[in-house]
PDB file of all heavy atoms in Angstrom:
ATOM      1  N   PRO E  47      32.548   9.924 -46.903  1.00  0.00           N
ATOM      2  CA  PRO E  47      33.320   8.706 -47.164  1.00  0.00           C
ATOM      3  C   PRO E  47      32.562   7.371 -46.864  1.00  0.00           C
ATOM      4  O   PRO E  47      31.671   7.430 -45.896  1.00  0.00           O
ATOM      5  CB  PRO E  47      34.367   8.919 -46.061  1.00  0.00           C
ATOM      6  CG  PRO E  47      34.522  10.266 -45.645  1.00  0.00           C
ATOM      7  CD  PRO E  47      33.017  10.855 -45.892  1.00  0.00           C
ATOM      8  N   MET E  48      32.770   6.395 -47.530  1.00  0.00           N
ATOM      9  CA  MET E  48      32.185   5.169 -47.371  1.00  0.00           C
ATOM     10  C   MET E  48      32.282   4.622 -45.934  1.00  0.00           C
ATOM     11  O   MET E  48      31.401   4.187 -45.366  1.00  0.00           O
ATOM     12  CB  MET E  48      32.699   4.048 -48.365  1.00  0.00           C
ATOM     13  CG  MET E  48      32.272   4.348 -49.879  1.00  0.00           C
ATOM     14  SD  MET E  48      32.911   3.007 -50.911  1.00  0.00           S
ATOM     15  CE  MET E  48      32.053   3.395 -52.424  1.00  0.00           C
ATOM     16  N   GLU E  49      33.549   4.730 -45.345  1.00  0.00           N
ATOM     17  CA  GLU E  49      33.778   4.263 -43.979  1.00  0.00           C
ATOM     18  C   GLU E  49      32.838   4.920 -43.037  1.00  0.00           C
ATOM     19  O   GLU E  49      32.601   4.354 -41.984  1.00  0.00           O
ATOM     20  CB  GLU E  49      35.330   4.452 -43.692  1.00  0.00           C
ATOM     21  CG  GLU E  49      36.243   4.103 -44.819  1.00  0.00           C
ATOM     22  CD  GLU E  49      36.400   5.152 -45.711  1.00  0.00           C
ATOM     23  OE1 GLU E  49      37.166   6.223 -45.296  1.00  0.00           O
ATOM     24  OE2 GLU E  49      36.031   5.118 -46.820  1.00  0.00           O
ATOM     25  N   PHE E  50      32.540   6.322 -43.344  1.00  0.00           N
ATOM     26  CA  PHE E  50      31.833   7.049 -42.389  1.00  0.00           C
ATOM     27  C   PHE E  50      30.280   6.474 -42.340  1.00  0.00           C
ATOM     28  O   PHE E  50      29.708   6.333 -41.256  1.00  0.00           O
ATOM     29  CB  PHE E  50      31.879   8.602 -42.765  1.00  0.00           C
ATOM     30  CG  PHE E  50      31.053   9.347 -41.682  1.00  0.00           C
ATOM     31  CD1 PHE E  50      31.709   9.822 -40.644  1.00  0.00           C
ATOM     32  CD2 PHE E  50      29.705   9.785 -41.946  1.00  0.00           C
ATOM     33  CE1 PHE E  50      30.965  10.567 -39.662  1.00  0.00           C
ATOM     34  CE2 PHE E  50      29.021  10.517 -41.058  1.00  0.00           C
ATOM     35  CZ  PHE E  50      29.628  10.901 -39.847  1.00  0.00           C
ATOM     36  N   VAL E  51      29.795   6.166 -43.554  1.00  0.00           N
ATOM     37  CA  VAL E  51      28.493   5.685 -43.606  1.00  0.00           C
ATOM     38  C   VAL E  51      28.447   4.262 -42.832  1.00  0.00           C
ATOM     39  O   VAL E  51      27.414   3.912 -42.261  1.00  0.00           O
ATOM     40  CB  VAL E  51      28.071   5.552 -45.071  1.00  0.00           C
ATOM     41  CG1 VAL E  51      26.547   4.877 -45.183  1.00  0.00           C
ATOM     42  CG2 VAL E  51      28.123   6.879 -45.774  1.00  0.00           C
ATOM     43  N   VAL E  52      29.402   3.447 -43.171  1.00  0.00           N
ATOM     44  CA  VAL E  52      29.507   2.128 -42.487  1.00  0.00           C
ATOM     45  C   VAL E  52      29.473   2.314 -40.935  1.00  0.00           C
ATOM     46  O   VAL E  52      28.692   1.662 -40.219  1.00  0.00           O
ATOM     47  CB  VAL E  52      30.760   1.429 -42.900  1.00  0.00           C
ATOM     48  CG1 VAL E  52      31.002   0.152 -42.131  1.00  0.00           C
ATOM     49  CG2 VAL E  52      30.705   1.034 -44.368  1.00  0.00           C
ATOM     50  N   MET E  53      30.220   3.317 -40.417  1.00  0.00           N
ATOM     51  CA  MET E  53      30.304   3.551 -39.033  1.00  0.00           C
ATOM     52  C   MET E  53      28.855   4.005 -38.561  1.00  0.00           C
ATOM     53  O   MET E  53      28.456   3.516 -37.459  1.00  0.00           O
ATOM     54  CB  MET E  53      31.395   4.638 -38.757  1.00  0.00           C
ATOM     55  CG  MET E  53      31.487   4.959 -37.208  1.00  0.00           C
ATOM     56  SD  MET E  53      32.878   5.996 -36.923  1.00  0.00           S
ATOM     57  CE  MET E  53      32.850   7.292 -38.118  1.00  0.00           C
ATOM     58  N   VAL E  54      28.192   4.865 -39.233  1.00  0.00           N
ATOM     59  CA  VAL E  54      26.861   5.224 -38.722  1.00  0.00           C
ATOM     60  C   VAL E  54      25.982   4.133 -38.797  1.00  0.00           C
ATOM     61  O   VAL E  54      25.107   3.964 -37.852  1.00  0.00           O
ATOM     62  CB  VAL E  54      26.382   6.257 -39.935  1.00  0.00           C
ATOM     63  CG1 VAL E  54      24.889   6.545 -39.876  1.00  0.00           C
ATOM     64  CG2 VAL E  54      27.122   7.608 -39.767  1.00  0.00           C
ATOM     65  N   LEU E  55      25.979   3.246 -39.718  1.00  0.00           N
ATOM     66  CA  LEU E  55      24.960   2.089 -39.792  1.00  0.00           C
ATOM     67  C   LEU E  55      25.347   1.126 -38.595  1.00  0.00           C
ATOM     68  O   LEU E  55      24.491   0.666 -38.094  1.00  0.00           O
ATOM     69  CB  LEU E  55      25.125   1.380 -41.093  1.00  0.00           C
ATOM     70  CG  LEU E  55      24.665   2.245 -42.287  1.00  0.00           C
ATOM     71  CD1 LEU E  55      24.906   1.469 -43.591  1.00  0.00           C
ATOM     72  CD2 LEU E  55      23.134   2.580 -42.189  1.00  0.00           C
ATOM     73  N   GLU E  56      26.642   0.955 -38.246  1.00  0.00           N
ATOM     74  CA  GLU E  56      27.018   0.117 -37.118  1.00  0.00           C
ATOM     75  C   GLU E  56      26.518   0.795 -35.856  1.00  0.00           C
ATOM     76  O   GLU E  56      25.917   0.156 -34.944  1.00  0.00           O
ATOM     77  CB  GLU E  56      28.511  -0.026 -37.165  1.00  0.00           C
ATOM     78  CG  GLU E  56      29.041  -0.947 -38.158  1.00  0.00           C
ATOM     79  CD  GLU E  56      30.587  -0.898 -38.199  1.00  0.00           C
ATOM     80  OE1 GLU E  56      31.254   0.067 -37.578  1.00  0.00           O
ATOM     81  OE2 GLU E  56      31.173  -1.845 -38.696  1.00  0.00           O
ATOM     82  N   ARG E  57      26.846   2.085 -35.746  1.00  0.00           N
ATOM     83  CA  ARG E  57      26.619   2.680 -34.414  1.00  0.00           C
ATOM     84  C   ARG E  57      25.215   3.045 -34.191  1.00  0.00           C
ATOM     85  O   ARG E  57      24.769   2.869 -33.015  1.00  0.00           O
ATOM     86  CB  ARG E  57      27.351   4.166 -34.592  1.00  0.00           C
ATOM     87  CG  ARG E  57      27.264   4.932 -33.277  1.00  0.00           C
ATOM     88  CD  ARG E  57      28.062   6.232 -33.329  1.00  0.00           C
ATOM     89  NE  ARG E  57      29.505   5.988 -33.435  1.00  0.00           N
ATOM     90  CZ  ARG E  57      30.356   6.897 -32.797  1.00  0.00           C
ATOM     91  NH1 ARG E  57      29.946   7.896 -32.207  1.00  0.00           N
ATOM     92  NH2 ARG E  57      31.590   6.657 -32.977  1.00  0.00           N
ATOM     93  N   PHE E  58      24.397   3.477 -35.110  1.00  0.00           N
ATOM     94  CA  PHE E  58      23.001   3.807 -34.842  1.00  0.00           C
ATOM     95  C   PHE E  58      22.036   2.967 -35.176  1.00  0.00           C
ATOM     96  O   PHE E  58      20.742   3.071 -34.901  1.00  0.00           O
ATOM     97  CB  PHE E  58      22.733   5.241 -35.564  1.00  0.00           C
ATOM     98  CG  PHE E  58      23.654   6.378 -35.103  1.00  0.00           C
ATOM     99  CD1 PHE E  58      24.495   6.997 -35.823  1.00  0.00           C
ATOM    100  CD2 PHE E  58      23.645   6.806 -33.743  1.00  0.00           C
ATOM    101  CE1 PHE E  58      25.392   7.996 -35.461  1.00  0.00           C
ATOM    102  CE2 PHE E  58      24.399   7.761 -33.281  1.00  0.00           C
ATOM    103  CZ  PHE E  58      25.347   8.406 -34.089  1.00  0.00           C
ATOM    104  N   PHE E  59      22.394   1.893 -36.033  1.00  0.00           N
ATOM    105  CA  PHE E  59      21.285   0.919 -36.489  1.00  0.00           C
ATOM    106  C   PHE E  59      21.659  -0.532 -36.161  1.00  0.00           C
ATOM    107  O   PHE E  59      21.014  -1.428 -36.448  1.00  0.00           O
ATOM    108  CB  PHE E  59      21.052   1.066 -37.905  1.00  0.00           C
ATOM    109  CG  PHE E  59      20.512   2.421 -38.349  1.00  0.00           C
ATOM    110  CD1 PHE E  59      21.334   3.512 -38.765  1.00  0.00           C
ATOM    111  CD2 PHE E  59      19.211   2.812 -38.176  1.00  0.00           C
ATOM    112  CE1 PHE E  59      20.903   4.712 -38.981  1.00  0.00           C
ATOM    113  CE2 PHE E  59      18.716   4.046 -38.378  1.00  0.00           C
ATOM    114  CZ  PHE E  59      19.696   4.995 -38.827  1.00  0.00           C
ATOM    115  N   GLY E  60      22.764  -0.607 -35.293  1.00  0.00           N
ATOM    116  CA  GLY E  60      23.109  -1.932 -34.749  1.00  0.00           C
ATOM    117  C   GLY E  60      23.526  -2.993 -35.839  1.00  0.00           C
ATOM    118  O   GLY E  60      23.418  -4.300 -35.418  1.00  0.00           O
ATOM    119  N   LEU E  61      23.922  -2.583 -36.882  1.00  0.00           N
ATOM    120  CA  LEU E  61      24.395  -3.594 -37.948  1.00  0.00           C
ATOM    121  C   LEU E  61      25.785  -4.053 -37.692  1.00  0.00           C
ATOM    122  O   LEU E  61      26.555  -3.330 -37.102  1.00  0.00           O
ATOM    123  CB  LEU E  61      24.335  -2.928 -39.398  1.00  0.00           C
ATOM    124  CG  LEU E  61      22.948  -2.342 -39.815  1.00  0.00           C
ATOM    125  CD1 LEU E  61      22.946  -2.058 -41.335  1.00  0.00           C
ATOM    126  CD2 LEU E  61      21.814  -3.352 -39.567  1.00  0.00           C
ATOM    127  N   THR E  62      26.091  -5.217 -38.104  1.00  0.00           N
ATOM    128  CA  THR E  62      27.366  -5.739 -38.145  1.00  0.00           C
ATOM    129  C   THR E  62      28.301  -4.959 -39.103  1.00  0.00           C
ATOM    130  O   THR E  62      27.569  -4.348 -40.044  1.00  0.00           O
ATOM    131  CB  THR E  62      27.500  -7.211 -38.365  1.00  0.00           C
ATOM    132  OG1 THR E  62      26.994  -7.462 -39.759  1.00  0.00           O
ATOM    133  CG2 THR E  62      26.622  -8.075 -37.483  1.00  0.00           C
ATOM    134  N   HIS E  63      29.514  -5.233 -39.142  1.00  0.00           N
ATOM    135  CA  HIS E  63      30.313  -4.532 -40.036  1.00  0.00           C
ATOM    136  C   HIS E  63      30.019  -4.976 -41.511  1.00  0.00           C
ATOM    137  O   HIS E  63      29.899  -4.153 -42.376  1.00  0.00           O
ATOM    138  CB  HIS E  63      31.910  -4.714 -39.789  1.00  0.00           C
ATOM    139  CG  HIS E  63      32.735  -3.907 -40.699  1.00  0.00           C
ATOM    140  ND1 HIS E  63      32.893  -2.528 -40.451  1.00  0.00           N
ATOM    141  CD2 HIS E  63      33.431  -4.161 -41.734  1.00  0.00           C
ATOM    142  CE1 HIS E  63      33.712  -2.051 -41.389  1.00  0.00           C
ATOM    143  NE2 HIS E  63      34.077  -3.117 -42.214  1.00  0.00           N
ATOM    144  N   ALA E  64      29.789  -6.230 -41.660  1.00  0.00           N
ATOM    145  CA  ALA E  64      29.527  -6.832 -42.913  1.00  0.00           C
ATOM    146  C   ALA E  64      28.244  -6.318 -43.458  1.00  0.00           C
ATOM    147  O   ALA E  64      28.034  -5.973 -44.619  1.00  0.00           O
ATOM    148  CB  ALA E  64      29.653  -8.399 -42.931  1.00  0.00           C
TER     149      ALA E  64
END
Side-chain angles (χ1 to χ4, degrees):
M48 290 185 171
E49 317 82 71
F50 184 82
V51 179
V52 171
M53 181 169 45
V54 162
L55 295 175
E56 290 172 336
R57 182 180 292 215
F58 299 114
F59 298 95
L61 302 191
T62 65
H63 188 76

